[in-house]
Amino acid sequence: MDVERLLVRRGQPFSVVLQCTEQIPQLPDHQINLILHLGKNNEVVLKVSDSEQDPGKWWFSQRNAQGEVMLTLHSPADAPVGLYSMTVVLLSADGEIQEQTSPQTFYLLFNPWCKDDCVYLPSEEMLQEYILNENGILYQGAWDDITTVPWNFGQFEKDVVDICFDVLDNSPAALKNSEMDIFNRASPVYVSRTITAMVNANDDRGVVSGRWDGEYSDGVAPTRWTGSVPILRRWSEDGGQKVRYGQCWVFTGVACTVLRCLGIPTRCITNYSSAHDTDANIAVDYLVNDQLESVSEGRKDTIWNYHCWVESWMKREDLPEGYDGWQVLDPTPQERSDGIFCCGPCPVRAVKEGEVGLKYDTPFVFSEVNADLIVWIVHPDGERSEVSQNSKIIGRKISTKSVYGDFREDITANYKYPEGSMKEREVYKKAGRQVGQKKDGPGQLELFIKHAPAIHGTDFDVIIEVYNAGREDTDAKLTVTSNAITYNSIHRGECQRKTTSLTVPAYKAHKEVLRLQYDHYGACVSEHHMIRVTALLQPNDQDNLILQETNIPLKMPALHVKIIGNAIVSRKLTAHISFTNPLPINLQGGVFTVEGAGLTEAREIKTHGKIESGQTVTVKFSFKPTRAGLRKLLVDFDSDRLRDVKGEASVIVRTRMRHVNAVPEI
């Protein structure tokens, strides 16, 4: 992690060498004492025992050899993590200080390799991924069209460990009572919960400020970030001022960096069709009028197209047996917990079993993955009609990067029993809500929405199909709307609306085509490139309203990244990046952002002038790798009308040039 300073993991001995200008006086006339101070201001003092007489305490042993003394320190596996200052004192037989060293500092981290540590993870493959991997993948898009975004965690980059402990030092608990906070840092439950509060800047001197309204001119658009290190460094360099702006995957990426850096095994999770239940009733209630306009008052329940959080691995000694292992931690500010915006740690097993009484924040996480969606039509007289109750929409394709490569692992079964199964409904009922009664069989009319893959910048068709399963022709009114939305269901503007009166013959289907044109959606589409199509079918008898909805992610172009030259530490490499404008309009203000752990710090490369429709722009830049190994260069492109275009290139960096011996001809 650092070649210039001492960083060690708890529960694991380490040695320091004392160099002496004269021969050390022999015991029992003299003795060596070792004093530790914890905290920035040395708030806590520990005297280290010179023998293993008190289990669970610091102790040291010593060996003398030719003017040097090797001191081997043994830290308990539950010692507080943080910055330690170490002083060696030489005492005379009567206890007077003869000499002492100047204080030397070191960081003590959690130790997932140590069986006695609460974060112990008995799998070397998982440790390689969840502690040591500096690169990752975040999953976005929609449950039926999953997309990937590479992320540079960079937990071993220069000074990141200092910044991570600064984040803890700036928490309200640390500022209020630093000594108590230091002792509490022995617990990964306490530390991880503090990090979920401090990664967002809502209540404190936290790192990232969230924003979802599309107005990012006084900061950085969330889609532009490609890694955590520039965010953490900006927060540190600005004296703890919040960094503008982030959304859920940014909060998740930063939290993963901090937790991995501190030594807590952590992975990033994406939940598709994720519920935000504002009233804790384990249901999402949609209230609309017959024009498909939302009429919910106050804070509305919503379904996010996807939502990201992290899981961290730890024992839960504060809970009954059976809830160790992966814990949900959600740093995105959604709801308050104990008065502040944080969430977790919440045992994944508690979510699956509907044990919503276990801390922390289990009811909220349960709703995110297993709430029911209930749609209501509010009539002009204020009366409500329930259109549908669906238990299968929320909590789909829960995803994380595999330990074994850059591909997706589906972990939905960790969070819930199979949708619609008897066990899943039992758990839902156990969690505190009566399960809605199913209506007898399907209605006479059925409603479907279909579409081909949609490419951003092109026109495309959406087909709404009404099928009549009954014996008689049926008259009905069909209302279809398309809206530009953000990934968390904020409406940015209506693209098109179509209302049709139709007669559907018995046992036949009626197809209605809605052509979505770039001229309609281009001006209001969000930086998440998402269109929501909603269809409401009202049979003339008004007895059976049917509502269907689908989210259509617009396919984005990719950046082409090529690295030229042999990748050697400290030797110059050149990268070529090219982008082709796929939109039927000109782009202005184009800027590429590049970064890569062990390759280069974050840099911006601006384009000049406009980029015309179909035009290809190529830029190049040089950099010198700083560390060997498999590395990734991550690139983002942003402009006035097109954001969040990504690209990446992998490269193996070696410490020196490999020499190949020539083979003589025979």
Side-chain angles (χ1 to χ4, degrees):
M1 288 180 72
D2 197 311
V3 296
E4 298 171 2
R5 295 171 304 167
L6 182 61
L7 291 106
V8 294
R9 298 191 183 276
R10 65 187 193 176
Q12 183 174 315
F14 64 97
S15 299
V16 296
V17 174
L18 206 59
Q19 294 177 328
C20 312
T21 54
E22 301 175 14
Q23 186 70 26
I24 286 284
Q26 294 298 307
L27 297 173
D29 298 333
H30 294 77
Q31 69 176 55
I32 288 176
N33 276 9
L34 206 151
I35 310 296
L36 297 178
H37 291 83
L38 281 82
K40 271 191 168 179
N41 301 311
N42 296 331
E43 294 95 326
V44 177
V45 183
L46 294 174
K47 181 178 182 295
V48 181
S49 171
D50 60 0
S51 65
E52 192 182 3
Q53 57 189 4
D54 196 354
K57 301 290 186 182
W58 283 84
W59 66 282
F60 76 96
S61 59
Q62 71 179 73
R63 296 168 67 184
N64 297 3
Q66 297 181 340
E68 293 185 338
V69 181
M70 177 178 283
L71 304 178
T72 301
L73 284 79
H74 301 259
S75 61
D78 61 351
V81 299
L83 181 65
Y84 285 70
S85 176
M86 173 175 54
T87 305
V88 181
V89 180
L90 182 66
L91 297 177
S92 64
D94 56 3
E96 287 190 14
I97 296 176
Q98 299 291 299
E99 202 171 341
Q100 69 181 57
T101 63
S102 57
Q104 302 291 319
T105 60
F106 65 90
Y107 280 115
L108 187 73
L109 306 176
F110 290 104
N111 191 354
W113 283 269
C114 174
K115 289 183 179 180
D116 296 325
D117 197 311
C118 287
V119 298
Y120 173 61
L121 183 57
S123 164
E124 188 58 37
E125 286 120 333
M126 294 173 80
L127 289 166
Q128 287 291 326
E129 180 68 32
Y130 300 140
I131 289 288
L132 300 179
N133 197 347
E134 292 185 85
N135 296 294
I137 292 174
L138 307 179
Y139 292 96
Q140 297 182 353
W143 71 270
D144 56 351
D145 190 2
I146 293 173
T147 59
T148 60
V149 173
W151 192 265
N152 175 30
F153 298 117
Q155 66 268 29
F156 304 137
E157 290 287 87
K158 185 175 174 57
D159 301 329
V160 168
V161 66
D162 304 88
I163 298 170
C164 292
F165 279 108
D166 279 345
V167 171
L168 287 173
D169 290 339
N170 277 275
S171 73
L175 296 173
K176 183 179 179 181
N177 187 333
S178 60
E179 189 171 334
M180 183 180 294
D181 175 70
I182 286 169
F183 283 119
N184 285 336
R185 290 186 193 179
S187 164
V189 173
Y190 175 84
V191 169
S192 62
R193 185 163 171 81
T194 301
I195 292 303
T196 71
M198 286 300 296
V199 165
N200 72 73
N202 281 47
D203 304 293
D204 40 45
R205 300 182 66 186
V207 179
V208 183
S209 177
R211 191 161 190 171
W212 285 266
D213 62 2
E215 297 297 326
Y216 311 123
S217 57
D218 58 341
V220 176
T223 52
R224 281 191 58 191
W225 301 112
T226 53
S228 308
V229 178
I231 296 171
L232 289 166
R233 284 186 176 151
R234 183 175 296 194
W235 176 83
S236 178
E237 291 164 1
D238 291 348
Q241 293 295 310
K242 61 188 176 185
V243 178
R244 301 180 173 92
Y245 290 101
Q247 291 171 4
C248 73
W249 70 92
V250 179
F251 294 113
T252 293
V254 172
C256 187
T257 294
V258 175
L259 291 163
R260 285 186 184 181
C261 183
L262 297 177
I264 301 175
T266 301
R267 61 187 186 181
C268 297
I269 308 297
T270 298
N271 176 41
Y272 289 94
S273 300
S274 186
H276 182 179
D277 178 17
T278 60
D279 54 7
N281 67 346
I282 316 181
V284 170
D285 295 292
Y286 270 6
L287 278 66
V288 296
N289 61 21
D290 58 6
Q291 297 299 308
L292 293 181
E293 298 165 334
S294 174
V295 291
S296 299
E297 295 180 355
R299 299 177 66 233
K300 297 185 290 187
D301 289 350
T302 54
I303 299 176
W304 294 27
N305 214 45
Y306 62 87
H307 180 50
C308 302
W309 58 70
V310 298
E311 287 177 0
S312 288
W313 182 274
M314 66 189 73
K315 286 182 182 175
R316 289 302 300 270
E317 295 177 338
D318 57 327
L319 295 179
E321 275 191 36
Y323 297 99
D324 299 340
W326 290 117
Q327 312 288 320
V328 172
L329 294 152
D330 190 347
T332 301
Q334 295 183 89
E335 299 294 324
R336 292 186 183 274
S337 174
D338 295 336
I340 59 175
F341 281 103
C342 67
C343 180
C346 160
V348 172
R349 181 165 178 263
V351 176
K352 183 169 184 174
E353 300 299 335
E355 297 290 354
V356 295
L358 295 176
K359 61 186 181 182
Y360 292 88
D361 310 303
T362 310
F364 183 75
V365 180
F366 182 89
S367 289
E368 286 185 304
V369 301
N370 216 14
D372 280 5
L373 170 64
I374 304 176
V375 179
W376 306 83
I377 292 286
V378 180
H379 302 290
D381 60 3
E383 288 293 314
R384 295 182 185 183
S385 299
E386 182 179 320
V387 177
S388 63
Q389 177 168 345
N390 195 318
S391 65
K392 298 181 181 180
I393 285 179
I394 290 169
R396 294 180 168 188
K397 298 277 185 77
I398 303 175
S399 303
T400 191
K401 177 190 173 298
S402 170
V403 169
Y404 303 105
D406 288 351
F407 50 88
R408 188 181 72 89
E409 179 182 349
D410 193 302
I411 57 169
T412 308
N414 293 0
Y415 282 84
K416 59 205 292 191
Y417 290 96
E419 286 289 10
S421 67
M422 189 177 296
K423 184 66 175 176
E424 185 264 342
R425 290 289 86 189
E426 284 176 11
V427 169
Y428 186 80
K429 191 171 184 178
K430 177 182 177 182
R433 182 178 174 85
Q434 294 298 313
V435 179
Q437 295 297 313
K438 291 184 178 178
K439 295 179 180 177
D440 294 333
Q444 181 171 320
L445 295 182
E446 299 172 22
L447 183 61
F448 307 93
I449 302 176
K450 302 175 182 178
H451 66 91
I455 299 172
H456 194 15
T458 66
D459 302 344
F460 60 94
D461 291 336
V462 177
I463 299 170
I464 297 88
E465 184 176 296
V466 182
Y467 178 72
N468 185 357
R471 298 178 181 176
E472 299 178 358
D473 296 356
T474 303
D475 297 325
K477 183 173 81 169
L478 177 66
T479 303
V480 184
T481 65
S482 62
N483 291 275
I485 61 166
T486 63
Y487 81 98
N488 61 333
S489 289
I490 296 175
H491 282 231
R492 288 281 177 83
E494 185 173 282
C495 306
Q496 281 164 281
R497 170 183 291 269
K498 185 176 185 179
T499 300
T500 309
S501 294
L502 47 91
T503 299
V504 188
Y507 304 116
K508 300 282 187 180
H510 174 92
K511 293 183 179 179
E512 200 72 32
V513 177
L514 184 70
R515 186 157 186 79
L516 287 173
Q517 299 177 324
Y518 180 78
D519 289 345
H520 293 151
Y521 70 77
C524 59
V525 70
S526 76
E527 65 271 25
H528 305 123
H529 320 115
M530 193 78 62
I531 303 293
R532 174 172 290 170
V533 176
T534 307
L536 176 66
L537 186 65
Q538 299 170 279
N540 286 357
D541 58 16
Q542 290 293 318
D543 287 342
N544 184 29
L545 301 176
I546 307 170
L547 185 137
Q548 288 288 354
E549 198 165 73
T550 191
N551 296 328
I552 304 175
L554 302 174
K555 295 284 186 186
M556 296 291 290
L559 299 176
H560 297 284
V561 185
K562 187 175 183 180
I563 296 176
I564 310 296
N566 292 317
I568 311 293
V569 170
S570 300
R571 185 171 296 184
K572 188 164 77 172
L573 276 177
T574 301
H576 291 211
I577 307 163
S578 60
F579 160 75
T580 302
N581 178 9
L583 302 186
I585 58 171
N586 297 336
L587 301 177
Q588 299 279 357
V591 58
F592 295 91
T593 305
V594 296
E595 70 167 298
L599 293 177
T600 178
E601 294 185 354
R603 293 166 57 181
E604 286 189 353
I605 306 163
K606 295 183 178 178
T607 62
H608 300 289
K610 65 184 178 181
I611 304 173
E612 296 181 352
S613 177
Q615 179 184 347
T616 298
V617 175
T618 300
V619 298
K620 63 180 181 178
F621 80 102
S622 298
F623 59 97
K624 293 180 179 179
T626 57
R627 287 184 286 138
L630 178 62
R631 302 288 167 193
K632 281 189 178 181
L633 186 71
L634 308 184
V635 187
D636 169 80
F637 174 80
D638 260 41
S639 66
D640 60 338
R641 294 291 296 274
L642 186 64
R643 291 175 170 171
D644 195 23
V645 185
K646 306 293 187 188
E648 63 179 296
S650 297
V651 60
I652 297 175
V653 180
R654 295 183 170 86
T655 52
R656 56 189 172 81
M657 177 71 77
R658 297 175 67 184
H659 296 285
V660 179
N661 295 324
V663 179
E665 293 183 7
I666 297 174

